[in-house]
Amino acid sequence: MALIENPEEDTVVTFEKLGVDPQIVEACKKLGFKNPTEIQRKAIPEALAGKDIVGLAQTGSGKTAAFSIPMLQALLAKPSGLFGLVLAPTRELAVQISDQIEALGAVIGVKCAVLVGGIDTMSQSMALAKKPHIIVGTPGRVVYHLENTKGFNLKTLKYFVMDEADRLLGMDFEEEINTILKVIPKDRNTFLFSATMTSKVAKLQRASLNDPVKIQVATKYSTVDTLQQEYIFIPYKHKECYLTYILNELAGNSVIIFTSTCAASTKLAIMLRNLSFKAIPINGQMDQSKRLSSLNKFKAQTMDILVATDVAARGLDIPSVDLVINYDVPVSSKEYMHRVGRTARAGRTGRAVTLVTQYDVEIYLRIEHALEQKLEEFPTEQESVLVFSERVNEAIRVATNEIKEAGLSEKEKRSMDDSEQSTGHLKKRKVEKKVIKKKNGPK
């Protein structure tokens, strides 16, 4: 395997110099892509030359354009049926990739179909019937349509892309990926992009790529220089108070708050709204339409605080994020990097603050060790923080009650449904008994 790691940089490299078609260059300009990023400079010429690619690069490095541009250029040269399949680990990332491919391919009329969970399968089947050029999806839903949607197959596929491959395999999609690999043509181009080269990714690369070029733009996880990173050591019982204090001190910023559970994401968002902050949750327990609605409201800046689980930690490109708060310390340094990577993107400045309680010290020290630096302490005075105590406690009480009531109403609804089904079943049994009685006659 050829390895491209640190070739001499050319500060005046343009998309034209990489051999990109003028129509696609024009689309890049409209999207604000002035010059290619490092992964794009190294990957696009190799991909245009027909090579398979293993790209190791961090999230936010411009990987989507790195694999989309060569695929679109090949489609422009020789359009034929279903042309490309892109697999992504999360629904939101799949939608984002599809949007960018359609924007880059708008000048040549590219049509994408998104196949992800949480969306009605019938509408997806109808989208497939319209003969899209490129499908972007999660592995499970793609396999579902291969098995259940009449007329859908991948026999004409020319490009197969796996984005965030380390996470795809970490989320146990290996079986679905193997199913897809068995039904796609062997004569194809394959691009595998990953943040790290895990043993599973290496195994997948050996099984599915043909003499690939390995392109590595980052040898290890690191944070950008434009990111200001801080921590704050706090007592666990005052955690919500400190969060409120930070948001009050840094008011006017666009913020993502990361929690470790779906329940915490929902509860904090309600609590913050009760304190007059414009907060909205996003987590894996919400249905897909609500998740996309939350994301779109945050992107459109109608809501300036997104309270998220790690479903929003990877791949999502939201340029306007000023501040990331780790309400719960992430379990690994890798997840820390992904979370704080939501801010300070594309050369912008950003800030990240991590709340560290007495229970988080060991995990936090491991993160500092991985960063190879001691973080600055966020300046606070406990007296100023506890001023919020009464209002915060009341907001927590209201949020808890709201969640309880919502849970009860759901339970009541389910109970009513069960009751209706039970009543219906009893009525049916009574009718059946009458029929049997008539048939048999009186005893």
Side-chain angles (χ1 to χ4, degrees), residues 302-361:
T302 54
M303 290 287 182
D304 49 26
I305 299 172
L306 187 69
V307 189
T309 55
D310 284 324
V311 75
R314 278 220 204 183
L316 298 185
D317 185 22
I318 310 168
S320 58
V321 180
D322 306 306
L323 172 67
V324 166
I325 298 176
N326 288 309
Y327 175 80
D328 293 318
V329 178
V331 293
S332 69
S333 55
K334 190 186 290 187
E335 284 309 319
Y336 174 87
M337 306 290 186
H338 282 300
R339 286 184 181 187
V340 301
R342 299 308 95 213
T343 185
R345 294 170 76 82
R348 300 177 184 88
T349 58
R351 193 169 186 176
V353 181
T354 300
L355 306 188
V356 184
T357 73
Q358 64 269 38
Y359 306 113
D360 306 316
V361 176

Side-chain angles (χ1 to χ4, degrees), residues 50-53 186 188 190 205-213:
K51 302 283 182 65
D52 283 2
I53 304 285
K186 290 200 170 11
R188 64 173 192 269
T190 304
Q205 168 218 308
R206 287 194 296 274
S208 59
L209 279 76
N210 178 32
D211 190 23
V213 176

Side-chain angles (χ1 to χ4, degrees), residues 275-311:
L275 291 167
S276 301
F277 291 104
K278 291 195 288 182
I280 196 162
I282 182 169
N283 59 62
Q285 285 184 352
M286 296 164 64
D287 68 46
Q288 187 59 21
S289 59
K290 285 181 180 173
R291 278 161 66 167
L292 287 174
S293 172
S294 289
L295 198 56
N296 290 334
K297 284 176 183 174
F298 185 65
K299 281 184 173 180
Q301 300 179 349
T302 54
M303 290 287 182
D304 49 26
I305 299 172
L306 187 69
V307 189
T309 55
D310 284 324
V311 75

Side-chain angles (χ1 to χ4, degrees), residues 110-392:
V110 165
K111 290 186 294 183
C112 284
V114 179
L115 304 182
V116 296
I119 303 291
D120 174 46
T121 55
M122 185 57 71
S123 62
Q124 292 176 350
S125 296
M126 288 166 69
L128 290 173
K130 291 176 183 174
K131 307 293 181 191
H133 302 105
I134 294 167
I135 289 170
V136 188
T138 48
R141 186 51 67 98
V142 172
V143 169
Y144 171 87
H145 283 287
L146 282 169
E147 293 172 348
N148 295 283
T149 299
K150 192 177 178 183
F152 172 54
N153 63 66
L154 301 171
K155 290 176 183 174
T156 61
L157 204 70
K158 298 288 186 289
Y159 280 81
F160 178 52
V161 182
M162 287 168 281
D163 193 19
E164 302 276 3
D166 54 337
R167 196 168 177 206
L168 275 169
L169 297 168
M171 292 167 76
D172 292 329
F173 283 127
E174 196 167 354
E175 190 179 326
E176 288 89 347
I177 292 169
N178 287 337
T179 299
I180 293 165
L181 286 170
K182 284 174 188 172
V183 299
I184 59 179
K186 290 200 170 11
D187 181 20
R188 64 173 192 269
N189 280 103
T190 304
F191 302 152
L192 187 155
F193 283 86
S194 180
T196 53
M197 179 56 85
T198 64
S199 57
K200 282 186 176 182
V201 173
K203 180 183 168 189
L204 179 62
Q205 168 218 308
R206 287 194 296 274
S208 59
L209 279 76
N210 178 32
D211 190 23
V213 176
K214 184 178 176 184
I215 297 167
Q216 191 163 318
V217 300
T219 54
K220 65 171 187 172
Y221 279 88
S222 59
T223 53
V224 294
D225 296 335
T226 53
L227 175 65
Q228 181 184 345
Q229 299 174 80
E230 296 161 295
Y231 77 97
I232 179 167
F233 189 62
I234 61 172
Y236 179 82
K237 64 179 180 179
H238 295 314
K239 205 171 178 183
E240 293 92 347
C241 260
Y242 274 88
L243 174 66
T244 306
Y245 173 83
I246 293 166
L247 290 171
N248 200 58
E249 287 293 296
L250 303 178
N253 284 302
S254 173
V255 187
I256 298 182
I257 299 168
F258 281 105
T259 66
S260 58
T261 67
C262 298
S265 161
T266 303
K267 187 177 177 179
L268 274 185
I270 297 170
M271 181 202 88
L272 291 171
R273 284 204 298 270
N274 284 320
L275 291 167
S276 301
F277 291 104
K278 291 195 288 182
I280 196 162
I282 182 169
N283 59 62
Q285 285 184 352
M286 296 164 64
D287 68 46
Q288 187 59 21
S289 59
K290 285 181 180 173
R291 278 161 66 167
L292 287 174
S293 172
S294 289
L295 198 56
N296 290 334
K297 284 176 183 174
F298 185 65
K299 281 184 173 180
Q301 300 179 349
T302 54
M303 290 287 182
D304 49 26
I305 299 172
L306 187 69
V307 189
T309 55
D310 284 324
V311 75
R314 278 220 204 183
L316 298 185
D317 185 22
I318 310 168
S320 58
V321 180
D322 306 306
L323 172 67
V324 166
I325 298 176
N326 288 309
Y327 175 80
D328 293 318
V329 178
V331 293
S332 69
S333 55
K334 190 186 290 187
E335 284 309 319
Y336 174 87
M337 306 290 186
H338 282 300
R339 286 184 181 187
V340 301
R342 299 308 95 213
T343 185
R345 294 170 76 82
R348 300 177 184 88
T349 58
R351 193 169 186 176
V353 181
T354 300
L355 306 188
V356 184
T357 73
Q358 64 269 38
Y359 306 113
D360 306 316
V361 176
E362 188 181 339
I363 301 171
Y364 173 73
L365 289 174
R366 284 206 297 268
I367 290 169
E368 275 197 337
H369 178 72
L371 290 171
E372 297 179 354
Q373 69 178 102
K374 292 283 290 177
L375 302 191
E376 296 290 320
E377 188 168 5
F378 185 91
T380 57
E381 290 178 13
Q382 193 172 45
E383 202 174 301
S384 304
V385 173
L386 297 182
V387 165
F388 294 96
S389 186
E390 195 174 322
R391 285 177 59 211
V392 167

